[in-house]
Amino acid sequence: MSHPIIVLLGAPGAGKGTQARKLVDKLNLAHLSTGDVLREAVKEGSELGKQVKEIMEAGELVPDQLVSEIVYEKISGDKVQQGVVLDGYPRTLNQAEFLEEVTSGKERVVVNIRVDSEKLLQRLSGRRDCPNCGTIFNVHFSPPFKEDFCDLCGARLIQRKDDRNEVAAERLRVYREETEPVIEFYSTRESYFEADGNQDVMDVFEEIIEGLRSDLAEVS
Ligand code: AMP
């Protein structure tokens, strides 16, 4: 079966972005991170960006309709021929139901990356992103060779505003309230599995690949 839709679930700081990038490279899939699309819109100062800037800076969720439109535009019909990794969507039950509708008939696999809650804040506070190539580092666990600069492209790394402590704590609260029900929604499905996100990046990746192997023909 081809064109799979791989949904990556997990709390902020669970490593969805890092694992999504690795999956996309290995399986030659498209990558859709709603957070990245929204951050880009804020940077550009577009109409969408103006609507969501304050919400994102406060660590709250952007209205379902706005994010679902982004997803619909990018993945409906045959737009992602090679399949896609969804990173950061769905985050509410409403979004999960919408995704069911627009992807009905397609192959869907849901991966939940679980990380102990006390680790998440530490992960978020240490995270540094490359604004140029998107590589994610962590000053505690996976620092760049040269402090503050990306190993891959040399750009200066940034700390996302919403990774600072207060906002990060709010994001975790919102996750528990809004997104945990999405896990319940999927957890009884056959094509749902969990990966232990407390491990090193490569070990988490191996576990995800292993889990996908039984579901997807293209994973060898
Ligand atoms: P992320 O990069 O996935 O952590 O997303 C950063 C921020 O973008 C979130 O804290 C939300 O404000 C917003 N966002 C991203 N994806 C969604 C979504 N599926 N639903 C609502 N808001 C979202």
Side-chain angles (χ1 to χ4, degrees):
M1 175 96 188
S2 55
H3 326 319
I5 293 172
I6 300 178
V7 174
L8 285 187
L9 298 178
K16 297 187 296 294
T18 301
Q19 297 298 331
R21 282 185 172 78
K22 296 186 79 59
L23 282 171
V24 161
D25 281 350
K26 182 171 170 79
L27 303 176
N28 191 25
L29 302 169
H31 178 200
L32 176 54
S33 154
T34 42
D36 283 352
V37 173
L38 293 167
R39 271 185 292 281
E40 196 52 41
V42 170
K43 209 160 107 190
E44 282 169 2
S46 68
E47 206 40 56
L48 172 66
K50 285 181 200 147
Q51 277 175 279
V52 302
K53 185 172 188 285
E54 279 182 18
I55 300 173
M56 292 177 74
E57 282 177 0
E60 308 298 336
L61 292 185
V62 166
D64 288 334
Q65 199 198 333
L66 292 179
V67 262
S68 291
E69 261 169 35
I70 293 172
V71 172
Y72 184 77
E73 245 173 55
K74 305 254 180 193
I75 72 162
S76 63
D78 282 335
K79 283 181 193 144
V80 277
Q81 288 288 345
Q82 80 271 41
V84 64
V85 177
L86 287 182
D87 156 11
Y89 184 96
R91 264 176 150 103
T92 64
L93 274 179
N94 197 315
Q95 294 176 19
E97 281 157 7
F98 180 79
L99 185 67
E100 289 286 291
E101 269 174 45
V102 294
T103 60
S104 75
K106 295 192 182 172
E107 179 165 44
R108 292 172 288 216
V109 184
V110 179
V111 185
N112 179 21
I113 307 175
R114 279 200 181 275
V115 173
D116 297 340
S117 51
E118 63 274 19
K119 281 213 173 114
L120 292 169
L121 256 188
Q122 207 187 359
R123 289 243 185 120
L124 290 172
S125 65
R127 180 156 83 180
R128 298 292 181 275
D129 289 3
C130 174
N132 184 45
C133 72
T135 306
I136 301 166
F137 298 86
N138 190 292
V139 296
H140 310 301
F141 311 113
S142 51
F145 287 116
K146 185 175 170 203
E147 200 179 328
D148 293 335
F149 291 92
C150 179
D151 290 350
L152 273 75
C153 71
R156 182 179 275 279
L157 303 176
I158 54 162
Q159 180 179 37
R160 279 170 46 174
K161 277 189 191 159
D162 63 353
D163 279 346
R164 293 175 194 158
N165 276 346
E166 274 170 28
V167 183
E170 175 61 7
R171 286 164 66 209
L172 291 172
R173 189 195 65 75
V174 169
Y175 170 78
R176 281 192 279 275
E177 209 169 292
E178 303 277 349
T179 312
E180 276 184 352
V182 175
I183 293 169
E184 261 171 59
F185 175 89
Y186 287 121
S187 62
T188 52
R189 306 260 172 111
E190 236 175 68
S191 54
Y192 167 93
F193 68 91
E194 297 187 348
D196 177 5
N198 294 297
Q199 313 170 85
D200 286 348
V201 169
M202 278 317 294
D203 292 333
V204 181
F205 186 59
E206 288 296 318
E207 204 178 313
I208 293 176
I209 290 294
E210 194 51 47
L212 290 174
R213 209 163 262 148
S214 56
D215 288 308
L216 301 177
E218 49 274 82
V219 183
S220 55

